[in-house]
Every structure is written in structure tokens, then in C-alpha cells.
Amino acid sequence: MRYSNLFIPTLRDDPAEAEAISHKLLVRAGYVRQLAAGLYIYLPLGLRVLQRINAVLKEEMDELGAQEVSMPILHPAEIWQQTGRWSEIGDEMFRLKDRGERDMCLAMTHEEIITWLAAHEIRSYRDLPQVWYQIQTKLRDEARPKSGILRTREFIMKDSYSFDRDEAGLEKNYKLHSDAYHRIFSRCGIHFYQVESDPGMMGGATAHEFMATSPAGEDKIALCTGCGYQANLEMAESRPQYIEDQNWQKEEINTPHKRTIKEVTNFMKTAPEYFIKSVLIIADTTPVLALVRGDQELHEHKLTRLVGAFRPASKDEVKNILGVEAGFIGPMCHGDIKLIADLCLKEGTYIAGANKAHYHIKGIRSGEDFEPEWADIHTARAEDRCVKCGEGLKIESAIEIGNIFKLGTKYSSALEAVYLDEDGSSKPIIMGSYGIGPARIMASAVEQGNDKNGIIWPESIAPFDLEVLPLNMKNIEAVQLAESLYLELSKLGYEVLLDNRDERAGVKLKDADLIGIPWQVVIGDRGFKEKKLEIKNRKTGEVKKLSIDTASQAIDETVRG
Ligand SMILES: Nc1ncnc2c1ncn2[C@@H]1O[C@H](COP(=O)(O)OP(=O)(O)OP(=O)(O)O)[C@@H](O)[C@H]1O
Ligand SMILES: [Mg+2]
Ligand SMILES: [Zn+2]
């Protein structure tokens, strides 16, 4: 395509409010524009990238035997009411009424609709298995739409759904998707990890996320360097640093006005890991006392999985429920109040609040002084050890680019998607759900591929394969050469961009680096005189001089490596 026919509004400056590199570069290089919070327009270059990613998605989905369908994005409320998600989901769902005052919503996802379809169409075990997918718009009123196209309120998702007779069938489709996802992200040039994740609002038992490492990521993942254990920090189990048991005798200590771990550790000249942090929370209406080691942080999400949504108790609630001022709570003697303690408190002798204002107690031991429910509720950290093999953990920020869920029968039971089995009995269909966000692949590629001059696209998803740059449009012969190269390379099957703008050489070269097409074919005046042109690899910066006479062939060879 000729630059003159393509709208690429590059900018000199970053958009004001942008933090993520992908956000800055995709706007500056003329790929996207923001319409309103979380709403983006894809300009010609941006759409080309998205379409190339979607083509990879489609190929790999077709390859695993999935069939493409298309479902509406406007849904009647009833179907969402039947699964309970109409009320479970809060403000994230866009809701509206039609002219007949019927409740409707916009598609956040399509489990409900696809299950409705299966409920109406699948009759017998002979109709199974099925895998259906679409590449379709989703709408979510995200609380914090930010980081450019990484988290938007309207976005495209590749979503597929599997329908099976039994667990073995689901296992197979889950594995097929996992394998396809590995191929998809590798083909798109993304550095990623597959991690264990929390099925959350999707329901179901097993789930994995695919995570592209990037500082712009809102997720954190824990990676074991020893056994390969990989999990979202929301799930990641870890063994905090080992501490020697101090075998203290029990002793009450006056700690006037020393409430926080820091104040008490300073006062008692002991390390924070020898303390028990006692945090009173209210889950629904039930108080729960959560206990973690003094140097550890309670992980909200891990605790939520055990007790449901909760909030911290107020100072007054602490006083009323535990009969002690906040800051002096200990795990001992609270009657029927539920205690949940982090596993690492099982061993050792600790200091805790004495359940008495201005006092702490030394020498507390689990089993003797308190008997909690045990769980891993601390936040895993880089200095922790892997629970599986004992090696060190690594924590990285990452962008969730895709996920796979074993749904089981959550949706099929609710929407009566059943089939008649061979023995004549009626059984709920076993389902899986699998999503990928192409915009997040696009942004992740930019997060992982850039330098101070701009974007460096992976060859597979770049908007063009090659850019031809005649630097001086007044040099008629050089321009003719550029034109003929453009035609020849296109004929060889390349997507070529010809920068035929009458701009200064500096401007053209700068824009070329900014928009990040993998190969630049540069025809300068000086080189042209010597019957030479240059091909530059955007990623490595490597420049090769080629003879003009055999240029298209030599370019083809260079690009193919
Ligand atoms: N707001 C969004 N903008 C762009 N892509 C999104 C957005 N939300 C989800 N996606 C993409 O769709 C895929 C499947 O959606 P899913 O509902 O599982 O995401 P999610 O768990 O809500 O993601 P997140 O935890 O980041 O909000 C995600 O893996 C991601 O690639
Ligand atoms: Mg979300
Ligand atoms: Zn390990």
C-alpha cells in the first residue's frame, strides 16, 4: 500500500495521561485513538494488526476442530437471571430496556447464550462433542478502564466453548485449547507463561491463565525456577522464609500505646516475623479472625476464596466483638469466633496482642494457645520458597492475554442443557470456556517489543512486512526503483508499505522506526549513485547494503533469513 493512500497520523508527543508504553506508542504511531474512557477507534494500521491476530486465532481454532458461530451482543435478561449472574454481577454489566420495557443487557461474555443454544439444539450423546467459537464484541463497564487498549469497555474476544458427555471429553478439549493457545501466542511473538488461576465468577474447578510478562500488567504471577510451578499470585502458594523457633516462655509484656507491628517490634527489639498479626474481618455478617506472620501480608483474594467477600472490621466492631481495643488483639480465647491462620504459623513461638489494652504476650504457640483452621493466606513474595520443590520463587508483572476454564455443569445445569445418554438417562452437558483478547495480544507485543524510537513488531502480526523508503522524491529514478520494488515484492507475497510522501528523509526514517514495520528498505541519494540500497532490520538495527540490480531477490532472501 502507498503511504499517500493510508492515514497514519503520527504524533511527536505521548498522550498526556498515558503510562503504559503500549498506550503511548500505539497512539503516537497512529494505530489507535481514544473516543472516550475505555473506548478506542482502530485506525487503518491498528486494524491491520488486529486482523492479522484474528487470522491466527481463526486458523488455530479451525485447526483444533472448533466451528465458528456468531452470537448477538444484545441479550434478554432472563437467560442471565437463570444462571444467577444477572444479580451476581454488579456495575460491570451494561443494562438497558427495550421499547417493551423488557430488561436487556450487553454481552460481557457468552456462556449464557451458547448454553441456551446447546440446551435447544443438543439432544443426544450422538450430538457430542461440540466446540463452538466466535470472534465477537464484549462490553463491560470496567471500573478503571486504563492503559490504552489493554483494558477497554468495549473489546473483541475470541471465545470458544466445549460441550462433552463426560470429564474425559472435557479434559481432551481443555488440553486441545491449551495446546492451541501455546501455538497462538508463540506465533504472535509473545513471551508468555501459562499459570494456575482462580476460576472466580466463571465457576468451575480448574482454570489457567496465559500471561504476557510486562510492567504494564495488572496481574502478578509467581514462577518457580526449580520445578516450573507457575501460578497467579491470587493462587500462588509459597513457603515464607524459615525462622528459628525461639521457644519463649509465656510472658505478658506491658506495651503502652504500641499497636502496630512496627511499634511493637521496635519497642521489644524483635524481628516482625516473630509476631502474629491478627486481623478481624467481617464476611457477610460473620466475624472471622485472620492470622498471618508479622512480616507477611494477608492476601485478600486468597481469604475471599475461603470466606466469601469480606471487609475489615471497624475499631468499634473490634471492641464489641472481641472485647479488646484494636492493636492488642491476640488469637487466644475468642469462643466460637472462627480463626483462620496462615500455614507458616503452625510451627514456632510468637508474640501477639494479649487481648488486653496496652499488653502483648510472648510465647504463644499454635495447638496450645489457639486452634485455627489452616490455610495459605499470605501474599507470596520473591524471597519465598516453592511449596512443591523448595526452590526460590520469582514474581513478575503480567498481562492476562487469555484463559481457559473447566466449567463443568454450572451453566448446563442452570439452563437445562442436557443430553440423552446411551442408557437413556438424561445428563447435563459438561462444558469448558476459553477466551483470548486480541487487543491485549497487540498491546503485549508492543510492551515487549519497543525501543526509544518506537514499536518493534513481531513479523507475524506487523501491519506490513516491509516498508520501502525512497528518501528523496525529487530523484525520479530512485522513485521509479522504489515503485518497481514495491510491485515486485508485493508479487512475491509481501505486504509492502511504500512511503511515497514528499517529506524530508529524517521525517520518513523517524516515522518508519516509530510505526515499527520489521524491515525497512531505504533508497538514499548517495547509495543510489553507487547502485546500492540498504535493508534495515528494525529489531536488531542491522543494516545490509544490496545491489540495486538484484534488489527484490536479495531482499526476499534477507527477509526469509
Ligand atoms: N476490558 C478488557 N479489555 C480488553 N481485553 C479484555 C478485557 N477484559 C478481558 N479481556 C480479554 O478477554 C479475555 C477473556 O476474558 P475474561 O472475562 O476471562 O477476562 P478477565 O478475567 O475479566 O480479565 P481481567 O482479569 O484482566 O479483567 C482475557 O484473557 C483478556 O485477554
Ligand atoms: Mg475483568
Ligand atoms: Zn518448585
Side-chain angles (χ1 to χ4, degrees), residues 162-202:
S162 62
F163 301 88
D164 280 288
R165 279 173 87 174
D166 50 26
E167 286 293 333
L170 171 60
E171 190 58 52
K172 189 173 158 213
N173 274 318
Y174 194 78
K175 175 80 167 58
L176 280 175
H177 274 87
S178 163
D179 291 348
Y181 277 29
H182 278 264
R183 287 194 300 273
I184 288 166
F185 300 127
S186 303
R187 281 181 63 182
C188 292
I190 304 290
H191 180 253
F192 70 98
Y193 294 99
Q194 176 174 356
V195 304
E196 287 175 28
S197 69
D198 183 7
M201 79 150 188
M202 300 293 282

Side-chain angles (χ1 to χ4, degrees), residues 236-241 275-277 289-299 302-303 306 339-347 350 366 370 372-380 384 387:
E237 295 179 359
S238 77
R239 218 165 55 214
Q241 210 182 7
F275 283 78
I276 295 177
K277 231 191 269 185
L289 195 60
L291 310 171
V292 289
R293 212 168 77 180
D295 63 326
Q296 303 290 312
E297 293 302 326
L298 178 66
H299 198 293
K302 286 182 175 175
L303 192 56
L306 298 171
L339 298 186
I340 300 181
D342 188 59
L343 283 166
C344 77
L345 293 173
K346 241 183 192 166
E347 313 284 324
Y350 294 92
S366 82
F370 62 104
E373 222 174 79
W374 294 105
D376 180 327
I377 54 170
H378 66 270
T379 306
D384 295 354
V387 287

Side-chain angles (χ1 to χ4, degrees), residues 441-461:
I441 296 183
M442 178 169 165
S444 299
V446 178
E447 290 290 332
Q448 295 180 353
N450 67 78
D451 63 15
K452 64 179 192 327
N453 298 322
I455 300 174
I456 304 171
W457 287 109
E459 297 195 8
S460 54
I461 60 171

Side-chain angles (χ1 to χ4, degrees), residues 519 555-561:
W519 296 95
I555 291 167
D556 185 34
E557 275 163 24
T558 308
V559 170
R560 281 195 288 159

Side-chain angles (χ1 to χ4, degrees), residues 150-174:
L150 278 170
R151 183 175 297 284
T152 51
R153 297 197 294 171
E154 177 176 328
F155 59 97
I156 306 279
M157 195 196 289
K158 185 291 296 170
D159 45 330
S160 41
Y161 307 89
S162 62
F163 301 88
D164 280 288
R165 279 173 87 174
D166 50 26
E167 286 293 333
L170 171 60
E171 190 58 52
K172 189 173 158 213
N173 274 318
Y174 194 78

Side-chain angles (χ1 to χ4, degrees), residues 497-539:
L497 174 64
L498 172 65
D499 189 348
N500 59 350
R501 294 175 302 165
D502 190 11
E503 281 285 0
R504 281 183 295 118
V507 172
K508 288 189 171 193
L509 291 169
K510 228 172 151 180
D511 278 344
D513 276 353
L514 181 58
I515 65 181
I517 293 166
W519 296 95
Q520 299 171 8
V521 176
V522 180
I523 305 167
D525 280 344
R526 200 168 340 129
F528 188 77
K529 240 186 253 159
E530 297 162 13
K531 295 183 96 34
K532 292 264 190 267
L533 54 73
E534 288 180 350
I535 180 161
K536 180 176 125 180
N537 181 305
R538 174 68 184 91
K539 188 169 173 187

